[in-house]
Amino acid sequence: MGNLFCCIQVDQSTVAIKETFGKFEDVLEPGCHFLPWCLGQQVAGHLSLRLQQLDVRCETKTKVSTFFLSLGRVLMGLGLVLILFRVFVLLQDNVFVNVVASIQYRALANKANDAFYKLSNTRSQIQAYVFDVIRASVPKLLLDDVFEQKNEIAKAVEEELEKAMSAYGFEIVQTLIVDIEPDEHVKRAMNEINAAARMRLAANEKAEAEKILQIKRAEGEAEAKYLSGLGIARQRQAIVDGLRDSVLGFSVNVPGTTAKDVMDMVLVTQYFDTMKEIGASSKSSAVFIPHGPGAVRDVATQIRDGLLQGSFAEQS
């Protein structure tokens, strides 16, 4: 019996193509099968039903000018970022990119005979359709749009493949655009544009921050001066009130003294207190106008005369 039959084993997720005298007869499911070779039956081959993946790299062009690249480097060197963006919009032609598409497909068990006989090289056939769709879609788009619309490109590839490969017994499970690689000069120009734009934004933000700091610093100084002025005004008011009370009290308690005599005595007392404070401090920064102890009452006169002399000298 072993001489009359041939035992064939078909693995899981695989089917075998059975022929009789070279003509397709049946698709053998996974398991063990006996074929009477004497009747011309044999296995022509096996077909995998597993999900397969094919990565296709396609070089095509977008609507970005090569002239833009050289001009862009010049404009970037001059810092003319705005003009660079305008040139980017106006000059749009012939920059090449590499688009990598990942195609996931599998043979259909109910169309195994079509998948086995109709195509001699499945991967080459799929690659040809991918090239056709990508090279028809990408040249219509700007480079930025290629990145933004990669899902639409993948969908167009998948629809075209599904329509073409279903006739050959294959199912397109998923199509992905996994990579878009512009020319190295284009990537460098795009990075320079983005870097320049971010630097401008950072400079604006830094300037705004410095402006806010200066405003807050000025507001703080103004508030401090205002409060200092209030303190000085209150201090002087307190001094005036104290002097007034002193003059009134001294005039009452010491008959015959005038307000002028009391003020002269107070000024002398203030003078000696001031000299004491200056002498007690080794790092005092006070400047005292030269005068004698007996001429304390002439301090105001000396200041006034000095100011008048300075104004006269400036006019002459």
Side-chain angles (χ1 to χ4, degrees):
M1 185 175 179
N3 295 330
L4 298 177
F5 291 90
C6 178
C7 181
I8 300 297
Q9 177 180 319
V10 180
D11 297 330
Q12 186 66 35
S13 298
T14 304
V15 294
I17 305 301
K18 176 183 175 183
E19 293 180 347
T20 301
F21 294 112
K23 181 182 178 181
F24 170 75
E25 182 177 338
D26 194 9
V27 176
L28 301 181
E29 299 291 337
C32 185
H33 301 272
F34 294 94
L35 301 180
W37 62 268
C38 60
L39 299 179
Q41 295 184 358
Q42 62 177 355
V43 172
H46 293 76
L47 182 66
S48 176
L49 301 180
R50 295 179 180 178
L51 185 67
Q52 302 182 61
Q53 178 168 311
L54 173 63
D55 292 332
V56 180
R57 177 181 293 271
C58 177
E59 185 180 42
T60 184
K61 66 179 182 178
T62 64
K63 294 174 62 177
V64 181
S65 175
T66 52
F67 172 69
F68 159 73
L69 298 176
S70 57
L71 181 60
R73 287 193 290 270
V74 174
L75 295 177
M76 286 300 300
L78 297 176
L80 303 178
V81 180
L82 181 59
I83 298 178
L84 183 62
F85 276 109
R86 290 176 178 173
V87 173
F88 182 85
V89 174
L90 293 175
L91 304 175
Q92 302 169 351
D93 189 23
N94 293 337
V95 166
F96 284 86
V97 294
N98 286 313
V99 180
V100 180
S102 180
I103 313 300
Q104 298 175 356
Y105 66 98
R106 65 186 172 195
L108 297 173
N110 58 343
K111 293 185 178 181
N113 57 330
D114 291 336
F116 186 80
Y117 288 106
K118 288 187 176 181
L119 288 179
S120 59
N121 193 328
T122 306
R123 300 175 74 86
S124 296
Q125 187 76 14
I126 292 176
Q127 187 176 31
Y129 280 107
V130 173
F131 282 171
D132 181 67
V133 176
I134 289 179
R135 287 175 177 169
S137 302
V138 174
K140 299 177 183 179
L141 303 174
L142 300 176
L143 183 57
D144 288 341
D145 294 337
V146 175
F147 286 94
E148 294 175 2
Q149 300 182 24
K150 68 174 186 176
N151 291 335
E152 285 76 6
I153 297 173
K155 184 177 180 181
V157 173
E158 181 175 345
E159 290 176 353
E160 186 67 22
L161 283 175
E162 183 68 32
K163 188 165 52 177
M165 299 305 295
S166 61
Y168 299 108
F170 284 93
E171 176 190 12
I172 304 301
V173 178
Q174 185 72 38
T175 300
L176 302 172
I177 302 297
V178 296
D179 198 8
I180 299 173
E181 299 177 358
D183 182 87
E184 189 63 32
H185 297 296
V186 178
K187 289 195 290 186
R188 189 179 299 114
M190 292 176 66
N191 290 335
E192 289 174 355
I193 292 173
N194 292 332
R198 292 181 183 275
M199 289 178 64
R200 287 181 58 196
L201 181 60
N204 290 335
E205 294 295 333
K206 183 178 179 181
E208 287 295 328
E210 292 178 354
K211 176 182 176 181
I212 293 173
L213 287 176
Q214 292 179 359
I215 292 174
K216 292 300 182 182
R217 190 181 297 116
E219 291 177 352
E221 292 177 356
E223 185 69 18
K225 290 179 180 179
Y226 172 75
L227 294 176
S228 177
L230 288 179
I232 293 174
R234 291 175 180 175
Q235 180 189 32
R236 290 176 179 173
Q237 183 65 40
I239 292 173
V240 171
D241 293 341
L243 290 175
R244 184 181 63 250
D245 294 340
S246 298
V247 170
L248 293 175
F250 199 89
S251 298
V252 172
N253 295 324
V254 182
T257 58
T258 64
K260 182 177 180 300
D261 295 333
V262 176
M263 288 301 300
D264 288 342
M265 185 185 67
V266 171
L267 287 174
V268 172
T269 303
Q270 290 288 344
Y271 169 79
F272 283 114
D273 290 341
T274 303
M275 295 298 293
K276 179 179 178 181
E277 291 180 1
I278 295 175
S281 176
S282 61
K283 297 182 180 180
S284 177
S285 59
V287 177
F288 222 86
I289 299 175
H291 63 282
V296 175
R297 66 176 61 92
D298 297 332
V299 171
T301 304
Q302 293 176 15
I303 294 175
R304 183 175 62 254
D305 292 343
L307 292 175
L308 292 174
Q309 292 175 5
S311 300
F312 177 76
E314 184 178 7
Q315 292 175 0
S316 60

